């Protein structure tokens, strides 16, 4: 299967710990997106990359969040000093560079901060 | 803040009936997309309509777009129990390549 892959699928961490999630996009996709989704809400944009360049970052994203895509392939999202409010589903998506193309989503990483 | 807002927030219908969901947005768009999400799962792309298109069909799905009113609708005809899911509209902005999602419509199709 060559879809978007996210690891881990679930993560439980204690408040104050750091966590890192990984996303492997579809191989020929240059764009990669991170979203956060809480129960009953739509996905909220966090950041996106074109190849290895991080082109946009949500103003809602605190300094505790950082994302990288070092070689323009897989991406990592790190949350430092986690807080209970960080508990959510973190979704990764990828798409081709052309406009008017759809995004393909992974199954997400569900983070629970206790 | 969310760009799109779906209406209704929740919809319950009988199998075989049609389901209509509406989406409104605020700024100029390149395209508008509809996604489906089953409980606790990732999002699946359903259909994309470009800003210069007014209507599009895909199987049992019909999407309309009215850029003058900044609104779109998704019609699912002859609904099935398997259509039970949350449906989100997402707008691709002119100024950015990111997708902005609405808050979704939760559809329940009763057998």
């Amino acid at each position: 299967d060559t879809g978007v892959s996210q690891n881990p699928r679930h993560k439980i961490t204690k408040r104050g710990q750091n966590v890192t999630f990984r996303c492997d996009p579809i191989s020929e996709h240059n764009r990669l997106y991170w979203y956060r989704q809480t129960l009953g809400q739509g996905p909220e944009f966090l950041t996106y990359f074109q190849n290895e360049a991080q082109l946009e970052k949500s103003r809602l994203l605190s300094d505790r969040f950082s994302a990288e895509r070092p070689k323009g392939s897989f991406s990592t999202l790190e949350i430092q000093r986690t807080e209970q409010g960080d508990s959510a589903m973190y979704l990764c998506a990828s798409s081709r560079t052309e406009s008017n193309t759809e995004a393909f989503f992974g199954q997400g990483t569900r983070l629970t901060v206790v | 803040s969310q760009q799109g807002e779906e209406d209704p927030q929740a919809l319950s219908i009988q199998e075989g009936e049609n389901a209509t969901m509406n989406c409104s947005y605020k700024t100029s768009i390149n395209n508008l997309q509809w996604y489906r999400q089953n409980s606790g799962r990732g999002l699946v792309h359903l259909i994309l309509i470009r800003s210069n298109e007014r209507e599009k069909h895909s199987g049992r799905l019909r999407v309309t777009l009215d850029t003058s009113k900044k609104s779109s609708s998704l019609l699912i005809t002859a609904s099935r129990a398997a259509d039970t899911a949350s449906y989100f509209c997402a707008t691709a902005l002119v100024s950015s390549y990111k997708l902005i999602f609405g808050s979704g419509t939760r559809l329940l199709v009763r057998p």
Side-chain angles (χ1 to χ4, degrees):
Chain A
D1 183 85
T2 58
V4 178
S5 176
Q6 291 189 246
N7 289 287
R9 292 291 308 278
H10 303 273
K11 179 71 177 179
I12 300 174
T13 190
K14 292 183 179 180
R15 189 172 48 188
Q17 298 294 306
N18 298 346
V19 293
T20 300
F21 310 141
R22 177 178 170 123
C23 172
D24 288 89
I26 293 171
S27 59
E28 63 266 27
H29 287 183
N30 292 328
R31 292 205 188 120
L32 186 147
Y33 307 82
W34 285 100
Y35 287 83
R36 177 173 63 191
Q37 186 179 27
T38 53
L39 196 62
Q41 299 298 313
E44 177 187 30
F45 171 78
L46 294 179
T47 188
Y48 93 95
F49 294 82
Q50 180 148 321
N51 299 314
E52 66 274 10
Q54 187 174 19
L55 296 187
E56 191 168 346
K57 187 175 176 180
S58 170
R59 285 172 288 178
L60 301 175
L61 212 59
S62 77
D63 291 342
R64 297 184 297 105
F65 287 71
S66 63
E68 294 183 343
R69 194 182 183 196
K71 297 182 180 179
S73 57
F74 74 91
S75 175
T76 57
L77 177 68
E78 181 183 18
I79 308 174
Q80 296 181 326
R81 305 180 303 281
T82 52
E83 302 172 356
Q84 286 189 322
D86 297 331
S87 295
M89 176 78 87
Y90 290 83
L91 295 165
C92 175
S94 68
S95 72
R96 298 193 313 267
T97 309
E98 296 81 11
S99 59
N100 296 314
T101 62
E102 68 267 36
F104 292 81
F105 280 80
Q107 293 296 298
T109 294
R110 182 170 298 282
L111 172 67
T112 302
V113 182
V114 297
Chain B
S1 62
Q2 303 287 64
Q3 152 84 323
E5 294 296 332
E6 281 94 336
D7 172 60
Q9 290 187 330
L11 181 59
S12 179
I13 60 173
Q14 202 73 33
E15 200 166 29
E17 294 180 339
N18 295 342
T20 300
M21 295 160 244
N22 302 297
C23 169
S24 61
Y25 59 92
K26 298 174 185 175
T27 60
S28 296
I29 61 172
N30 273 327
N31 65 70
L32 185 144
Q33 304 178 32
W34 286 90
Y35 288 80
R36 183 183 72 200
Q37 185 177 39
N38 291 90
S39 180
R41 306 292 296 276
L43 286 88
V44 175
H45 180 265
L46 295 176
I47 194 166
L48 180 154
I49 186 165
R50 302 182 184 196
S51 59
N52 61 354
E53 296 175 317
R54 293 297 166 257
E55 187 170 315
K56 202 162 183 180
H57 297 254
S58 176
R60 294 184 295 114
L61 305 180
R62 172 179 170 257
V63 170
T64 63
L65 178 65
D66 187 335
T67 52
S68 66
K69 294 181 179 178
K70 291 187 168 56
S71 67
S72 173
S73 67
L74 171 67
L75 169 68
I76 304 174
T77 60
S79 64
R80 306 165 181 168
D83 295 329
T84 294
S86 291
Y87 291 82
F88 296 94
C89 70
T91 50
L93 307 183
V94 170
S95 58
S96 167
Y97 290 110
K98 66 187 179 187
L99 286 174
I100 303 298
F101 284 81
S103 52
T105 293
R106 282 159 288 287
L107 173 65
L108 172 65
V109 181
R110 305 187 305 275

